[in-house]
């Protein structure tokens, strides 16, 4: 293997290198883990009261100083009548965020909504994230998650958590 001088402009990586020890000052940003769930069960509501959609995902962070990036994508949120879909995200029993009137609909419109939240892991304790949905304010429509009509046609939603090391 040829030896190449490392200088302030870079390093010649045309050879293979085996690194040992610890590199300091390079920063974090490595993905520690990704957990993911597909959700295909139909959920519907006419209520202005928030209810669990069934979209839940658990994670146990590997490091207390990492960041958690939580993304929930809900698809085929259709309805009968004009409605507003509102959402809440929880970490265990703690409400993290509310998206009031996140999406408005006219009769039988089909679309999707993506919710994103960043959290400090703060510990390596297991926790569960979940999404609740409400027809809020209730305008007498029926919101249908993963179901474009009352005929059981389905779509799928998903939830993903990415842990990024500090």
């Amino acid at each position: 293997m040829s030896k190449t001088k490392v200088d302030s402009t870079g390093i010649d990586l045309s050879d293979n290198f085996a690194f040992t020890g610890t590199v300091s000052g390079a920063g974090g940003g490595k993905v520690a883990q990704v957990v993911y769930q597909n959700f295909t069960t139909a959920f519907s509501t006419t209520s202005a009261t928030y209810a669990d959609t069934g979209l839940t995902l658990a994670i146990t962070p590997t490091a207390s100083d990492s960041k958690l990036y939580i993304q929930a994508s809900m698809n085929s949120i259709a309805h009968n009548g004009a409605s507003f879909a509102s959402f809440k995200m929880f970490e265990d029993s703690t409400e993290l965020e509310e998206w009031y009137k996140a999406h408005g609909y006219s009769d039988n419109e089909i679309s999707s909504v993506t919710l994103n939240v960043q959290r400090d892991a703060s510990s390596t304790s297991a926790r569960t994230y979940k999404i609740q949905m409400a027809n809020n304010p209730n305008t007498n429509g029926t919101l249908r998650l993963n179901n474009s009509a009352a005929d059981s046609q389905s779509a799928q939603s998903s939830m993903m958590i990415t842990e990024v090391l500090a």
Side-chain angles (χ1 to χ4, degrees):
M1 173 170 93
S2 63
K3 304 256 181 203
T4 302
K5 179 181 174 186
V6 177
D7 60 29
S8 63
T9 60
I11 184 172
D12 180 359
L13 295 176
S14 59
D15 289 322
N16 292 325
F17 295 89
F19 293 96
T20 59
T22 302
V23 176
S24 62
K30 292 182 182 176
V31 173
Q33 64 176 315
V34 176
V35 291
Y36 179 84
Q37 177 206 20
N38 264 339
F39 175 68
T40 57
T41 304
F43 169 83
S44 66
T45 186
T46 58
S47 177
T49 302
Y50 284 93
D52 290 347
T53 61
L55 190 55
T56 62
L57 192 57
I59 189 169
T60 302
T62 61
S64 61
D65 62 348
S66 62
K67 300 281 187 191
L68 301 176
Y69 296 92
I70 303 111
Q71 180 179 50
S73 297
M74 281 76 66
N75 294 302
S76 288
I77 306 166
H79 63 285
N80 298 323
S83 301
F84 290 98
S86 295
F87 301 94
K88 287 185 178 183
M89 182 183 289
F90 287 81
E91 179 182 87
D92 297 324
S93 61
T94 302
E95 181 182 323
L96 298 180
E97 191 76 45
E98 179 180 21
W99 292 270
Y100 181 71
K101 290 177 148 181
H103 206 288
Y105 302 96
S106 58
D107 195 33
N108 293 319
E109 180 181 6
I110 298 172
S111 62
S112 61
V113 173
T114 300
L115 311 174
N116 295 290
V117 170
Q118 176 203 316
R119 299 280 293 158
D120 292 330
S122 302
S123 77
T124 56
S125 298
R127 73 268 333 251
T128 300
Y129 294 91
K130 72 177 180 179
I131 301 296
Q132 291 186 340
M133 182 175 168
N135 188 352
N136 193 0
N138 189 341
T139 54
N140 298 320
T142 301
L143 296 173
R144 300 180 189 282
L145 177 63
N146 291 342
N147 180 290
S148 58
D151 59 8
S152 298
Q153 294 179 1
S154 66
Q156 65 182 2
S157 298
S158 63
M159 192 169 193
M160 180 172 65
I161 305 171
T162 304
E163 179 185 5
V164 178
L165 299 174

